[in-house]
Amino acid sequence: MKRLVAFLLLTAALWWLWPDRALRHPSGITAPTSPAQQMIPAKSLGEIKGYRLEAQADYVIHARVLRTKRYHSRGDDLVPYDVALGWGPMSDQANLDRLRISQSNRFFFYAWPDQPPLPVGEMARHAANVHVISANKTVAKAVARLRAGQLVAMRGYLVNVSRPDGFHWNTSLRRDDDGNGACELFYVEELRVSDQPLPANSPTTFAARAQ
């Protein structure tokens, strides 16, 4: 009996400390700032692992991590992780507690048992499934460690991707779309992580890029 009790206590402690366990916050918006996108003339970012990257827009996002998923499929060498992000009302614990969030086949899904906590269109405009291309090992390690509930700031480019064999993958350039093609393909140059809610006046700029 003592062994069983000890085992149960150890299991509970591991669950509490397990790094993948979602962080919870008090009710209220934790990421109030909308993503900032600025269109630019298309420019090449060179090649990564045989893929050609062409930047379409500067992009900065401050958001709450809703879920992450590691993929092992075509393109996973370039984009191993998708990160589902929410801002505004989709960063509010009270709303998220009424949703079941999942990811599959490079899509992000949310469902509810009875009535949605927000109008469906409002949820779509305040959440996104982001295909993350890490610009360096530091960003890649940070993305791999992300867990639901953390607050992140990411800076980089929305990009289109192609390969000599005809493979192509284009980013969304809108926040109000859904379905196939609605995900952002995000080349992330800088990523910051916090466990604390972002202030209402969170800056949407990072240090100037090296030209």
Side-chain angles (χ1 to χ4, degrees), residues 65-70 81-84 103 143-144 146-148:
V65 177
L66 304 181
R67 202 174 189 280
T68 69
K69 185 171 178 61
R70 174 73 162 90
Y81 283 92
D82 280 3
V83 181
Q103 289 168 292
V143 171
L146 290 177
R147 60 171 170 152

Side-chain angles (χ1 to χ4, degrees), residues 1-20:
M1 183 65 179
K2 289 182 179 179
R3 288 183 179 180
L4 176 60
V5 171
F7 173 77
L8 292 175
L9 289 174
L10 177 60
T11 300
L14 288 174
W15 179 86
W16 181 258
L17 296 173
W18 191 253
D20 288 337

Side-chain angles (χ1 to χ4, degrees), residues 22-185:
L23 290 175
R24 292 185 57 79
H25 298 275
S27 296
I29 291 174
T30 54
T33 306
S34 296
Q37 175 181 309
Q38 181 175 353
M39 299 301 297
I40 61 173
K43 70 174 182 178
S44 173
L45 299 179
E47 289 193 8
I48 298 179
K49 299 179 180 179
Y51 296 88
R52 291 191 293 259
L53 275 61
E54 187 177 74
Q56 307 296 307
D58 282 306
Y59 196 60
V60 175
I61 183 169
H62 291 204
R64 176 174 175 156
V65 177
L66 304 181
R67 202 174 189 280
T68 69
K69 185 171 178 61
R70 174 73 162 90
Y71 282 95
H72 302 274
S73 57
R74 192 180 192 192
D76 72 327
D77 52 341
L78 180 68
V79 188
Y81 283 92
D82 280 3
V83 181
L85 298 172
W87 57 92
M90 283 295 281
S91 70
D92 187 337
Q93 189 71 57
N95 293 327
L96 298 177
D97 282 344
R98 296 173 59 190
L99 296 172
R100 183 173 67 253
I101 294 171
S102 61
Q103 289 168 292
S104 179
N105 297 321
R106 295 288 183 181
F107 287 95
F108 155 52
F109 305 94
Y110 39 87
W112 49 89
D114 185 15
Q115 294 293 322
L118 298 163
V120 175
E122 188 172 359
M123 288 191 284
R125 289 190 298 272
H126 291 90
N129 188 54
V130 178
H131 307 314
V132 177
I133 303 172
S134 299
N136 52 60
K137 291 181 179 180
T138 300
V139 171
K141 289 179 180 178
V143 171
R145 295 192 191 106
L146 290 177
R147 60 171 170 152
Q150 289 183 315
L151 288 305
V152 296
M154 298 181 182
R155 175 187 65 82
Y157 295 102
L158 297 181
V159 300
N160 291 341
V161 171
S162 62
R163 203 167 53 190
D165 64 1
F167 174 84
H168 65 276
W169 198 357
N170 292 342
T171 185
S172 168
L173 295 170
R174 297 168 51 185
R175 307 292 86 77
D176 59 351
D177 51 356
D178 57 19
N180 192 27
C183 298
E184 284 71 33
L185 195 52

